[in-house]
Structures are given as structure tokens and as C-alpha cells.
Amino acid sequence: MSKRTPRRSATRTAAVAGVLAGAILLAGCASPVPTADPDPTPTEAVPALTADQMAEVRTAVGTSLDEAAATNDAAQLGNRLAGPALSLRTSQLAVAAVRGNQDLVTKLPTDVQQDIITTTDTWPRQTYAVTVQPEDLQSPRLLAYEQTAARDPYKLWAWVRLFPSATLPAFAGPAVGSESVPMDDPSLLVTPADAVAQYADVLTLGAGSAYAGSFADDPLRAWVANNATVQMAELSKAEGSLTMTFTPTPDQARAVRTADGGAMVMAGLTALETRTIEEGGKIAPGSDTEKALFGASEPTNKLNVGYTTMVAMYIPPAGATTGVQVLGMENVATSVATS
């Protein structure tokens, strides 16, 4: 990773002392949810769950979230959360316990506008849901659930806040079901694995990425770019540097077929931001989340902030004239340390 300069850099960053919060709150109107395809392509596969069973899964996950929130005890999450969702919620509850309130805990409604149920006879298997808009008028959430084996419960695996400007693709109705898509599927404009890796490169390198033109601007890219400018304005006063690198988390990407033959992908990323100033200086944590995670540690001239990031994107079928569209994200600091 290279050093930042105050003028411009090839990487992008996140918060410095007292400037920006670790999580991005996306307020706005609810994203439109298209109706199910009225004439889906016939398939021999059957949905993994019925609509009633899907409702039971959502209720069980909601109960687990509520019970853990009542005591800020992440130990109660393991039976109904997994993957990046478990990592992020565990950190949010730890921060809530330190701060004495849950202002920074993401609201995850259990009432939904749409279920997306996959057709598969193998495991792991996934289902998805689009929630109603939260009472605070933030964007609806796109939730992903996963069952790892036949006798295991479905667990909340990931979530994102949908961008207010995003338009979700259409899916087959839950009674018909939607096909799970492998990460190397060749029928798409770009494979899901490549799309996730390319987007991580864009987040890291910005306009310097070879894939920058493949993705439209979105709120996460804007946040990363704005942080780079704002934070370096402060760090440069102490001969500082700043880097931020996004990396796809191994085995944390899932995809489902859309009605037009494309795919919707949800994936987990990790990000590491490193802030450094001149020898002998001290960098204090900035946001409330960073302060809670840093605790009573002694500041030095270096601060590493780790993030758990979840993204969702739509990949059109091969031959499409439109590119990959990022639909939503969640990006929250989950670790802060001096080394």
C-alpha cells in the first residue's frame, strides 16, 4: 500500500479523529421492488422453502436479534446469525454495550415486501428478502439467509442497506423459485467472483482502478473518496499518510438468478485503513464506534481501523449493453488497534 498525499491518491480511506462515523446511514425513499415475473421459465426444481416457512425463518431470526439486543450479548446470535452478518452484529453489540445505547446498531425489520427463494437440492442453500422501510425512513434492507446442512436452521448470513436510487431486478415468484448461481457462472457479463474482486479493486484504487469504468458512482465509492480528501487534510498537517484496502472475504459471496437471466450477488469484504503521522505523534480514534472499540488503549502515531463490509450487486446476462450495478452496502468499523 502506498502513502497518501493531501492532493490525490490511488487508494481511498475512512474516518479520522472526530470527523466521520464508521457506519454510513443511508436515508431516503424506499427502493422500488418489481413484481414477480408473471410467466417464469418452467423448471423441474422446486423452491427450498414455502412462503410460510420463509416467514418462520424471519421470525426466528428477528427473535434472536431482539434477545441479543436486550442484553447486548452477542453469544445469543450464533444460533441464528452466520458469516459477515454475525461478525458485524457482534461488533455493533459490543459498541452498544460500551456506549450505553444502541444508536449505532443497524435496524433490521422482519416485515418484508418480497421473498426470493432459491431452487436447489444441495447445501448450503440461500434465500433472500427485501424488508419494508424502517420507521426512521432509512432505506429498506436486503437480507440473505443461509442453511449449511439439511438439519441446520436458516441463519441471517448478510444484509445491506439498499441505495435509494437502486432499482432491484425482477425475480421469479417464491412459489416458482429462483436458481442459485455459482461464483464462476459463464452466462453472465462477468462472473460473480470477478465482479466482487473488481469492485473491491475500484474501492481501493478509485479512478486508478482498471475497472473504474465498469461501475457507476455509488454512495460507498463516494464515501471512500470523500474520506480520503477530508482525512488527509488533517493528517498532512503532521506529515501523515493514509491507506485503505478492500479485500473480498474468501467463501463469502452468494448469487441468485434474476428473471432476465442475470444474477444478484451478495458478498462480504474486509477493509483495512491505516493512518500514520510523524514519529512521536499520537492519533486518537475518531468516530463513536472507533472510540468504543479502541477502549483505554494508549494512542501512538499509527492507527489501524478494520471494517466489515457487505455489498449487493446486479450482474446482467452476457451480451448486455449495461454494466454491473451496485445495489446496496453496509460498511462498519469492527476493529481498532495501534498495530
Side-chain angles (χ1 to χ4, degrees):
M1 297 184 289
S2 60
K3 287 190 175 183
R4 289 284 185 184
T5 66
R7 180 171 172 268
R8 187 177 181 86
S9 60
T11 56
R12 294 297 186 264
T13 71
V16 78
V19 181
L20 295 173
I24 306 171
L25 300 180
L26 296 173
C29 298
S31 301
V33 177
T35 57
D37 184 358
D39 187 23
T41 303
T43 176
E44 295 181 359
V46 297
L49 294 175
T50 65
D52 287 344
Q53 289 170 329
M54 185 67 189
E56 292 174 359
V57 168
R58 293 196 305 272
T59 298
V61 169
T63 299
S64 180
L65 289 169
D66 290 343
E67 291 175 348
T71 57
N72 290 325
D73 182 8
Q76 301 183 58
L77 296 174
N79 64 327
R80 283 294 181 175
L81 270 73
L86 178 59
S87 298
L88 199 152
R89 197 59 155 203
T90 298
S91 179
Q92 287 186 330
L93 292 181
V95 169
V98 172
R99 298 182 68 244
N101 67 65
Q102 297 190 343
D103 293 350
L104 302 178
V105 177
T106 306
K107 295 179 176 62
L108 298 174
T110 55
D111 293 334
V112 303
Q113 307 177 46
Q114 181 181 16
D115 284 322
I116 305 162
I117 301 176
T118 57
T119 56
T120 180
D121 56 3
T122 61
W123 282 268
R125 53 180 56 173
Q126 296 82 36
T127 62
Y128 306 83
V130 181
T131 75
V132 299
Q133 189 171 33
E135 293 181 358
D136 58 7
L137 301 184
Q138 292 182 21
S139 300
R141 291 17 171 165
L142 173 64
L143 311 176
Y145 303 87
E146 181 164 273
Q147 184 188 40
T148 56
R151 297 183 182 277
D152 292 341
Y154 276 85
K155 298 182 179 183
L156 179 64
W157 183 84
W159 78 77
V160 300
R161 307 177 193 223
L162 292 170
F163 297 149
S165 60
T167 299
L168 287 178
F171 298 88
V176 175
S178 302
E179 173 193 15
S180 292
V181 176
M183 291 301 102
D184 59 354
D185 190 295
S187 69
L188 304 170
L189 185 66
V190 60
T191 69
D194 285 345
V196 174
Q198 290 173 12
Y199 186 60
D201 192 72
V202 171
L203 291 174
T204 300
L205 299 178
S209 170
Y211 308 106
S214 300
F215 298 86
D217 289 338
D218 63 61
L220 180 54
R221 289 180 66 181
W223 177 79
V224 173
N226 185 63
N227 278 338
T229 301
V230 173
Q231 310 318 326
M232 279 308 304
E234 296 298 321
L235 290 174
S236 62
K237 297 174 183 178
E239 299 182 6
S241 65
L242 189 152
T243 62
M244 190 171 192
T245 303
F246 286 82
T247 305
T249 307
D251 301 321
Q252 285 194 356
R254 309 287 187 266
V256 59
R257 188 73 65 189
T258 56
D260 64 356
M264 183 180 72
V265 183
M266 294 189 72
L269 310 173
T270 57
L272 178 63
E273 176 199 351
T274 300
R275 310 169 194 162
T276 306
I277 58 174
E278 59 191 352
E279 197 71 29
K282 293 184 178 182
I283 302 177
S287 69
D288 289 338
T289 294
E290 290 177 14
K291 292 173 182 176
L293 293 171
F294 193 67
S297 300
E298 183 66 26
T300 69
N301 70 321
K302 183 177 182 180
L303 192 69
N304 288 320
V305 182
Y307 290 80
T308 295
T309 307
M310 298 178 283
V311 299
M313 60 185 71
Y314 162 69
I315 307 174
T321 57
T322 57
V324 178
Q325 179 190 6
V326 182
L327 302 171
M329 63 84 195
E330 186 78 63
N331 183 57
V332 175
T334 51
S335 67
V336 182
T338 57
S339 60

